[in-house]
Amino acid sequence: MLDLSGIPIIDAHGHPFMPTREKKEYSYAYSMCVHGGLADFRYLTSYRMALQEYKRLFGLPADASEETVIACRNERASADYPAFVGELYRDAGIVSILSDFGYPITGEGLTGEELASFASATAGVCEVYDLIRIETTCDRILYRPGLSFGEILDKFESYIETYKKEHRVAGIKTVVGYYTGLGWRPVSYQEAERNYGSFYQGKYRPDRADKPFRDYMVGRGLELAGRHGLVFQIHTGAGDPPACDLRLMNPNSLYELLNTEEAGRTKIVLVHAGFPYGYEAAFLAANYPGVYTDISSTVSYLGRAAESEFRKVLDVCPHNKIMFGSDGGGFVDQSWFAANYFRRALGGILDEYVEKGCFTEAYAAEIGKMILHDNAKRVYGI
Ligand SMILES: [Zn+2]
């Protein structure tokens, strides 16, 4: 079997983690759902796979009970959290993470203390690069009642400039799909200003009436990414319902955005491989020179669907445009689990392609290195 174990991993899309965000029961960590208790998390394939991964790490017997595994995990996490993070990241071979600190969509955003806790847990363990999320910047950081449209635009621009000077920034990210869908369309300054005045409330609104303003800000974010040499990440595909309406999340809906002049000048990553629209994301990445994709989220939350989804991308998208990412956040375990699982799954899938005569062994090994590490390093310039 192709051995990819020595390749350091760049997690090209994740979120900060810290003990204070481990609010719900542990099985919740392997579901995309934000509503603890609504789904039967204990019976998810992803969760069961993570339990098996833990038995390997802790040297527990194969028949160790679920309770034993979780108790062992929680004991280590609470005894010395930074040491626990170090143990997991070394085990998975993760050397860098690109981290969107703008979550969650609804509920309380991360506090300064929580971000400091994340920084101290990862110090000396892995390199962290920030992703600036447009919607969080507008809603939580900049918006105040009475602020005019012109003022929020000025603030947005100077916030990104200043943040970039003071931090290691890899990209600007939008999760506009959650707010108003991926059916982006060009909006004039006047229309955006009118919509901002009438409908923008500085928070997620279920009726999606602030779409012109949201779309306008995505355009501005894309332009700023190009100007500052940053990558532009777009959340595509599934996310936690009900905020995320899967009917609005097909990356194909980005047609008008991808054909703007700004898009032609900027590297764009369709995050999460558009799951379950993997072929669409892969096809767009294959046909627009500046468009890339990563398989984050599928590898953490969707059990072995990660493999079927990855095959679509591998078959259609050039191999130098595909990146690994976990979409882990809150719990440190998700990125650890995703990296270990995907490294093995990728080796197995590439083996099959070699057996069928599609690739030489040497080329398969090259793909492994590109997807786990080299592509993210090159695309994000880190
Ligand atoms: Zn994410």
Side-chain angles (χ1 to χ4, degrees):
M1 184 175 159
L2 187 61
D3 181 13
L4 304 176
S5 61
I7 301 170
I9 288 186
I10 297 177
D11 184 342
H13 178 85
H15 302 270
F17 42 79
M18 64 283 300
T20 47
R21 293 282 159 161
E22 293 185 9
K23 283 175 188 156
K24 304 193 177 83
E25 62 177 294
Y26 183 72
S27 56
Y28 157 87
Y30 295 94
S31 159
M32 219 180 272
C33 185
V34 289
H35 305 287
L38 285 189
D40 297 314
F41 302 127
R42 285 189 61 233
Y43 300 103
L44 281 174
T45 297
S46 49
Y47 171 61
R48 293 287 151 178
M49 288 166 73
L51 291 178
Q52 299 295 92
E53 196 71 39
Y54 263 129
K55 288 179 196 170
R56 174 193 62 77
L57 180 71
F58 298 151
L60 294 169
D63 61 354
S65 70
E66 182 185 354
E67 291 72 25
T68 304
V69 177
I70 300 306
C72 194
R73 182 268 173 207
N74 288 341
E75 207 180 286
R76 294 205 190 199
S78 55
D80 186 342
Y81 187 72
F84 179 63
V85 170
E87 181 185 11
L88 295 191
Y89 266 53
R90 272 189 299 279
D91 178 65
I94 303 169
V95 293
S96 303
I97 174 171
L98 274 55
S99 173
D100 164 14
F101 55 92
Y103 80 97
I105 303 272
T106 51
E108 291 300 307
L110 299 177
T111 63
E113 293 84 67
E114 286 181 315
L115 288 169
S117 151
F118 173 62
S120 75
T122 48
V125 171
C126 69
E127 303 290 326
V128 178
Y129 299 87
D130 286 347
L131 299 164
I132 305 173
R133 188 190 282 197
I134 293 174
E135 292 75 19
T136 305
T137 304
C138 291
D139 295 5
R140 291 207 173 114
I141 300 171
L142 306 181
Y143 179 69
R144 301 283 176 276
L147 192 73
S148 76
F149 179 62
E151 284 167 336
I152 201 168
L153 289 185
D154 288 347
K155 276 173 176 274
F156 181 67
E157 196 161 315
S158 59
Y159 174 81
I160 287 177
E161 250 163 55
T162 310
Y163 195 90
K164 190 181 174 261
K165 276 188 203 136
E166 294 170 357
H167 300 80
R168 283 202 299 197
V169 179
I172 295 176
K173 182 192 177 191
T174 177
V175 293
V176 72
Y178 272 90
Y179 289 82
T180 51
L182 291 181
W184 184 92
R185 62 177 182 82
V187 176
S188 68
Y189 183 97
Q190 290 73 14
E191 186 188 354
E193 185 176 34
R194 271 197 309 276
N195 180 258
Y196 171 85
S198 308
F199 295 105
Y200 182 64
Q201 298 171 328
K203 60 179 184 194
Y204 172 82
R205 49 179 303 165
D207 66 1
R208 310 189 197 280
D210 50 358
K211 180 168 163 49
F213 170 71
R214 298 276 180 201
D215 281 354
Y216 187 84
M217 294 313 292
V218 168
R220 287 301 282 254
L222 179 63
E223 193 189 311
L224 286 172
R227 198 191 306 165
H228 292 292
L230 297 169
V231 173
F232 195 69
Q233 286 197 354
I234 306 176
H235 172 108
T236 61
D240 28 317
C244 183
D245 181 345
L246 193 49
R247 297 171 299 180
L248 307 176
M249 303 307 280
N250 190 322
N252 246 343
S253 311
L254 291 165
Y255 181 82
E256 285 200 76
L257 184 75
L258 297 181
N259 286 293
T260 58
E261 269 177 44
E262 288 75 21
R265 287 194 291 263
T266 312
K267 289 178 191 166
I268 294 176
V269 179
L270 305 176
V271 177
H272 313 320
F275 175 86
Y277 310 107
Y279 275 137
E280 284 87 338
F283 185 77
L284 291 171
N287 287 281
Y288 286 82
V291 176
Y292 303 79
T293 191
D294 72 42
I295 49 109
S296 59
S297 149
T298 64
V299 281
S300 300
Y301 310 119
L302 297 167
R304 293 191 64 211
E307 291 170 56
S308 45
E309 208 60 13
F310 172 70
R311 283 168 201 274
K312 295 180 189 170
V313 178
L314 182 71
D315 283 339
V316 174
C317 180
H319 309 137
N320 62 347
K321 296 182 116 185
I322 310 167
M323 292 172 274
F324 167 78
S326 70
D327 198 32
F331 292 85
V332 54
D333 317 51
Q334 297 148 337
S335 49
W336 159 79
F337 163 72
N340 275 315
Y341 159 50
F342 185 68
R343 189 196 291 276
R344 279 195 307 270
L346 178 60
I349 291 171
L350 291 173
D351 266 347
E352 284 170 30
Y353 280 67
V354 172
E355 262 166 48
K356 289 198 187 302
C358 306
F359 310 142
T360 62
E361 252 175 67
Y363 183 67
E366 209 180 304
I367 298 180
K369 195 159 171 288
M370 283 196 278
I371 294 177
L372 295 176
H373 182 272
D374 294 358
N375 290 342
K377 191 171 174 59
R378 186 189 79 253
V379 171
Y380 289 96
I382 58 174

